[in-house]
Amino acid sequence: MPELPEVESARAVIERAGLGREIVGVDDSDTYVCRPYLPGQIRDALVGRTLVAAHRRGKSMWCDTGEGGPELGIHLGMSGKIVIAAPDGSEIDGGDYWEGRRVHGDYRWSRFALTFADGGRLMLVDPRRLGRVRLDPPIASLGPDAATVTPAQFRAALARGTAPVKARLLDQEAIAGIGNLLADQILWAARVNPGRPVDELSADDVDRLLRAMRRAVGSALKQGGVHTLGLIPYRFAGAHCPRDGAPMAKSTVGGRTSWWCSVEQAF
DNA sequence: ACACGTGTTATGCG
DNA sequence: TCGCATAACACGTG
C-alpha cells in the first residue's frame, strides 16, 4: 500500500489517536522488522515515555517521545499499516478502508506494538514484514519531500547523472515519497518515457514532470492514498491509454514493473 | 505450483 | 569512490 499519501494518512492516524498516553509495554519481538535490535532493546528505550508528535518525510515516519527520549522511526515497507485499538481491543483508527469507510481488518500480522497506560494499543500490521521500526531513524539522507519540493529542488534532483528518469523519481535520496505507482502516473501525465536518461530531458520535460508530480501527489493526498485514486486505469494486461487509446507498454524500468503509453510516451 | 508485488538495501561491476 | 543495475529480503495473493 504505502507511498507518500498512505504514509501521510498513517501519520495522521498516530497524531489523532496515538499521542499523549504513557507507553507501558512494547512488543518488539519480531527481530526482522526491528532489526538490528535485540528483543527488549526498543522496549527498554520506550517504556515510561509518551508519543508527543508524529512526523513524516517521504515514506518515513517518526515520533518524538518527549524530552531526552529517542525518536521512534516507523517505515511501512510494502504492506505495513498503522492500527490503533481501544482498551477493549476494538479499533479506533487506522487499518483498512473500503470506499472511504473503515472496515475491520485482519490483525494476525501485528509485527510491532505499543501498549498505552489505558490499555489502548498502537500496532504496525505488516504481513510481508518489509516494514521497519528503529530508534533515531536516518532521515537526513532523504531528499526533499515530494509534497513540498520546490522547483529548484526538483530540477536539482534531475540534474545529474544518466539514470532513467523513473529510477531517479524512485530514488528516495533525490526526492522522498514517490513509489512505483506514483512514478508511472507522473510519467504518464507528463508524457515522458520512463526509460529516458535524465540528462536527455528537456527543460520542458522537467517542467511537465514537476507539474504532474504536484497534481498526482496532491490528489492522492486528498483521497488518502494512491490505491484509492481509481488512478491508473491502465495498469493491467491488454490495457489501452485512457487518452489516446494506444496499447500500454509494459517492462521493467528502475527495477520495477512499469507501464506507459506506447505512442504518447514513446522513447 | 508458481509468478508477482504500492519498498529498501546489500552487492557487484565499470 | 561514484553511478547505476540487479538480486535479495518475507510472505500473502491470484
Side-chain angles (χ1 to χ4, degrees), chain A residues 11-145:
Chain A
R11 189 204 63 78
V13 165
I14 296 176
E15 192 169 81
R16 282 198 300 268
L19 303 185
R21 286 172 291 164
E22 184 187 355
I23 297 165
V24 298
V26 178
D27 176 3
D28 59 357
S29 58
D30 189 312
T31 55
Y32 190 76
V33 167
C34 296
R35 68 190 181 285
Y37 302 97
L38 297 172
Q41 288 186 308
I42 296 178
R43 180 195 63 215
D44 291 346
L46 295 181
V47 165
R49 309 207 66 92
T50 297
L51 304 184
V52 299
H55 308 283
R56 179 193 61 74
R57 178 149 157 202
K59 306 171 196 171
S60 294
M61 285 189 287
W62 66 97
C63 298
D64 296 333
T65 64
E67 188 65 33
E71 289 173 344
L72 172 63
I74 301 175
H75 197 292
L76 299 179
M78 293 271 267
S79 60
K81 290 175 287 200
I82 294 295
V83 176
I84 297 187
D88 67 1
S90 65
E91 285 167 54
I92 57 176
D93 209 342
D96 294 322
Y97 289 79
W98 182 252
E99 294 181 347
R101 308 283 296 182
R102 195 155 49 77
V103 298
H104 199 288
D106 186 343
Y107 304 127
R108 281 176 294 172
W109 299 294
S110 174
R111 308 301 191 182
F112 175 83
L114 304 177
T115 302
F116 299 115
D118 65 1
R121 281 162 63 81
L122 182 157
M123 287 176 278
L124 169 63
V125 175
D126 181 15
R128 289 176 62 182
R129 299 171 73 211
L130 292 174
R132 194 160 180 187
V133 173
R134 61 209 298 190
L135 301 174
D136 298 317
I139 51 173
S141 58
L142 293 172
D145 187 80

Side-chain angles (χ1 to χ4, degrees), chain A residues 170-249:
Chain A
L170 293 172
D171 180 353
Q172 304 300 300
E173 297 188 11
I175 303 166
I178 298 173
N180 195 33
L181 299 186
L182 268 177
D184 273 6
Q185 173 65 18
I186 291 163
L187 291 159
W188 177 78
R191 297 174 168 83
V192 172
N193 185 283
R196 288 275 303 286
V198 289
D199 60 333
E200 292 180 14
L201 297 175
S202 67
D204 189 58
D205 288 332
V206 175
D207 208 53
R208 293 199 315 283
L209 286 167
L210 173 59
R211 276 200 286 259
M213 187 186 69
R214 289 226 163 110
R215 277 184 65 91
V217 171
S219 61
L221 274 173
K222 197 179 305 178
Q223 298 180 58
V226 180
H227 58 305
T228 63
L229 276 184
L231 176 100
I232 330 235
Y234 49 73
R235 221 182 154 73
F236 54 90
H240 293 265
C241 175
R243 277 190 308 246
D244 71 349
M248 296 299 291

Side-chain angles (χ1 to χ4, degrees), chain A residues 148-157 206-207 210 214:
Chain A
T148 55
V149 60
T150 67
Q153 288 173 322
F154 187 77
R155 283 193 292 269
V206 175
D207 208 53
L210 173 59
R214 289 226 163 110

